[in-house]
Amino acid sequence: MRTSHVSKFYKKTLQERLAILKEFAELNDEEISQLEKYGALDFEMADRMIENVVGTFQLPLGLATNFKINRKEFLIPFALEEPSVVAAASNAAKLSEGFEAKASEPIMIGQIQIVGSQNPEKTAEAIKEKEKELTEKANSVDSVLVKFGGGAKKVEASVMETSRGKMIKVHLLVDVRDAMGANAVNTMCERISPELEKITGGEVRLRIITNLAVYRTVKATSVWKKETLGENAIEKILDAYEFAANDVYRACTHNKGIMNGIDAVVVATGNDFRAVEAGAHAFASITGKYLPLTKYYKNDSGDLVGEIELPLAIGLVGGATRTHPLAKINIKLLGVKTANELSEIIASVGLAQNFAALRALATEGIQKGHMKLHAKNIAIQAGAKENQIDSVADQMSKEGNISVTRAKEIIEGSK
Ligand code: MEV
């Protein structure tokens, strides 16, 4: 009987886990040996990172070229599975006049939910009056963070009317310096909860960071000259931007393109891309309308200016950034010393990625470049040898017939 109830799977050795998997999914020896292939991240390290590990999952790591950010040159590591993204970002960076980026202070917000307070409005006020005591208590959690200028800075409290009665919402604002911040913030929220129960007479329920890091945002901007792009292309890009600014269906895809680049660098540096994704999309709709994360306009010279702003909760200390061997190399490659510097790079990548997508979509269409790369993949799938891949792909692209069947015919025909 096939069952997913495996007792103490986490206590089993790798061989035992693989044996269970083999039987469950009816895997053959070849498939098991694929699972047994490790890259830079070995089993021991992976097994310490998450639970019930049976292997590692690899993604291509590519380098985006041509990036000049805050007058410094960067080769930027992208970890992702999608063709064209690295090439598009590199091209956008090549065409640009460079990027200027600035991160805000790294302030994260911890949320505490309090229910059952007798007089929520009055107690919310009382919480604010105790700000000093509460932040001091929170800061007793992490003396190292405080030593480096971080720590809890502020307490906000407000009342929510809900269908289950009034609740108090406390926001603890914490400067997390070079951490992503979830651990420090969550621990601080838990630490001050008994104090909050005393003040409010209510009961503390949820104590957790919010990924909508509105105080930890990054702005990046770039200029693309009209001599480089052509005035016609600029007009088309502006129309493409207006489409996203006025239609949620388009805005969603517009932002997806931005996240293609952002997530790829977030993953390559061992950061939490789900946190960044959740924050980005919530931020995009913070006005009540889901909007593009970028803006475009013409400057006085008629050049195209692009801007991006989004929250980026990423870190350089803690988590996979410090443990994943490739994340460590990627951080070294970027030469960043602070989380803010890293987020300035990531925001610039998001802008470049979006510019590239809009330019392609508004002019020749996205499929032309994409299909070229796709054709190569199809040629490989059809069994093209190293020296055949380009010619098979070219012929299929010319014919407008990109399929494994056609690739096989071309390979056969050239024998
Ligand atoms: C595809 O991964 C990303 C795009 O759809 C982005 C966009 O439409 O702006 C090309």
Side-chain angles (χ1 to χ4, degrees):
M1 263 300 267
R2 217 164 101 117
T3 174
S4 65
H5 291 281
V6 187
S7 163
K8 304 228 165 65
F9 192 79
Y10 69 99
K11 279 200 168 163
K12 304 212 180 288
T13 64
L14 175 59
Q15 291 321 315
E16 288 166 340
R17 291 179 197 175
L18 287 176
I20 293 167
L21 170 63
K22 191 175 183 201
E23 193 185 326
F24 187 88
E26 292 170 18
L27 299 186
N28 59 34
D29 289 345
E30 166 60 19
E31 286 161 335
I32 290 293
S33 66
Q34 289 294 340
L35 278 166
E36 286 174 331
K37 284 184 188 158
Y38 286 87
L41 184 63
D42 60 25
F43 172 74
E44 283 70 28
M45 182 76 79
D47 200 40
R48 277 197 292 273
M49 288 167 79
I50 68 163
E51 308 75 42
N52 296 356
V53 170
V54 292
T56 56
F57 187 95
Q58 306 195 4
L59 284 173
L61 178 67
L63 289 186
T65 55
N66 306 318
F67 273 87
K68 196 174 204 176
I69 302 166
N70 295 337
R71 290 163 300 286
K72 272 166 77 178
E73 298 283 335
F74 293 96
L75 286 172
I76 305 181
F78 279 42
L80 91 162
E81 83 301 341
E82 187 174 332
S84 304
V85 171
V86 176
S90 305
N91 192 246
K94 188 172 172 188
L95 296 174
S96 98
E97 298 301 301
F99 298 81
E100 293 290 328
K102 182 90 189 96
S104 68
E105 291 296 303
I107 306 274
M108 297 297 293
I109 305 167
Q111 294 198 289
I112 300 159
Q113 177 196 28
I114 304 163
V115 298
S117 171
Q118 288 311 308
N119 188 343
E121 281 80 9
K122 210 166 153 215
T123 38
E125 282 308 313
I127 292 170
K128 282 184 250 173
E129 279 158 25
K130 294 269 183 194
E131 181 173 62
K132 194 165 175 290
E133 289 89 327
L134 288 166
T135 49
E136 268 171 20
K137 180 109 193 150
N139 283 333
S140 66
V141 164
D142 196 334
S143 58
V144 179
L145 185 62
V146 175
K147 196 174 118 200
F148 285 104
K153 301 286 177 193
K154 205 171 167 215
V155 176
E156 296 171 347
S158 58
V159 179
M160 292 185 293
E161 293 269 7
T162 82
S163 58
R164 291 180 60 81
K166 287 187 177 177
M167 297 176 186
I168 301 174
K169 177 182 83 168
V170 176
H171 277 185
L172 180 68
L173 274 52
V174 183
D175 183 328
V176 297
R177 297 283 91 194
D178 291 318
M180 182 271 181
N183 266 334
V185 171
N186 294 344
T187 315
M188 285 182 181
C189 289
E190 291 189 6
R191 179 69 62 93
I192 64 169
S193 289
E195 212 61 42
L196 286 169
E197 288 190 334
K198 258 188 240 153
I199 302 168
T200 61
E203 193 186 321
V204 164
R205 294 276 172 81
L206 273 57
R207 295 149 290 169
I208 187 76
I209 198 165
T210 169
N211 294 118
L212 179 51
V214 287
Y215 301 122
R216 194 183 196 181
T217 57
V218 196
K219 285 185 191 167
T221 175
S222 189
V223 172
W224 285 271
K225 292 238 183 239
K226 66 171 184 285
E227 293 77 16
T228 316
L229 291 186
E231 287 178 35
N232 193 24
I234 291 182
E235 296 305 323
K236 288 178 174 175
I237 291 169
L238 290 172
D239 289 341
Y241 163 65
E242 278 305 313
F243 187 3
N246 289 280
D247 177 66
V248 66
Y249 294 88
R250 177 56 209 148
C252 171
T253 321
H254 178 107
N255 288 344
K256 188 273 180 183
I258 293 172
M259 302 315 286
N260 274 345
I262 289 187
D263 284 343
V265 187
V266 171
V267 172
T269 55
N271 275 291
D272 180 347
F273 65 94
R274 287 87 54 213
V276 170
E277 278 282 340
H281 296 291
F283 190 72
S285 52
I286 202 152
T287 59
K289 183 178 171 194
Y290 185 88
L291 292 170
L293 291 163
T294 51
K295 280 198 178 81
Y296 291 89
Y297 56 90
K298 276 189 288 188
N299 65 13
D300 293 343
S301 327
D303 302 324
L304 182 72
V305 183
E307 289 174 1
I308 188 169
E309 184 181 9
L310 80 164
L312 276 177
I314 48 101
L316 281 186
V317 294
T321 310
R322 279 284 167 91
T323 48
H324 195 301
L326 292 187
K328 286 198 273 189
I329 294 173
N330 290 333
I331 299 284
K332 185 170 180 187
L333 161 68
L334 290 171
V336 288
K337 297 280 178 280
T338 65
N340 272 3
E341 278 179 82
L342 178 57
S343 58
E344 286 163 359
I345 293 172
I346 294 174
S348 303
V349 164
L351 178 59
Q353 206 70 58
N354 181 235
F355 165 85
L358 294 191
R359 178 165 176 262
L361 286 166
T363 57
E364 64 175 22
I366 203 83
Q367 285 308 82
K368 199 173 161 199
H370 199 77
M371 285 321 257
K372 250 193 222 157
L373 290 167
H374 178 60
K376 281 194 189 181
N377 286 337
I378 295 289
I380 295 166
Q381 272 179 45
K385 302 248 154 54
E386 194 60 43
N387 60 352
Q388 294 174 313
I389 297 169
D390 284 339
S391 63
V392 174
D394 278 352
Q395 189 167 336
M396 287 194 296
S397 299
K398 258 189 229 132
E399 293 172 359
N401 180 4
I402 301 171
S403 66
V404 175
T405 314
R406 182 64 194 130
K408 281 190 174 151
E409 286 169 5
I410 301 171
I411 297 165
E412 280 299 311
S414 67
K415 272 187 184 159

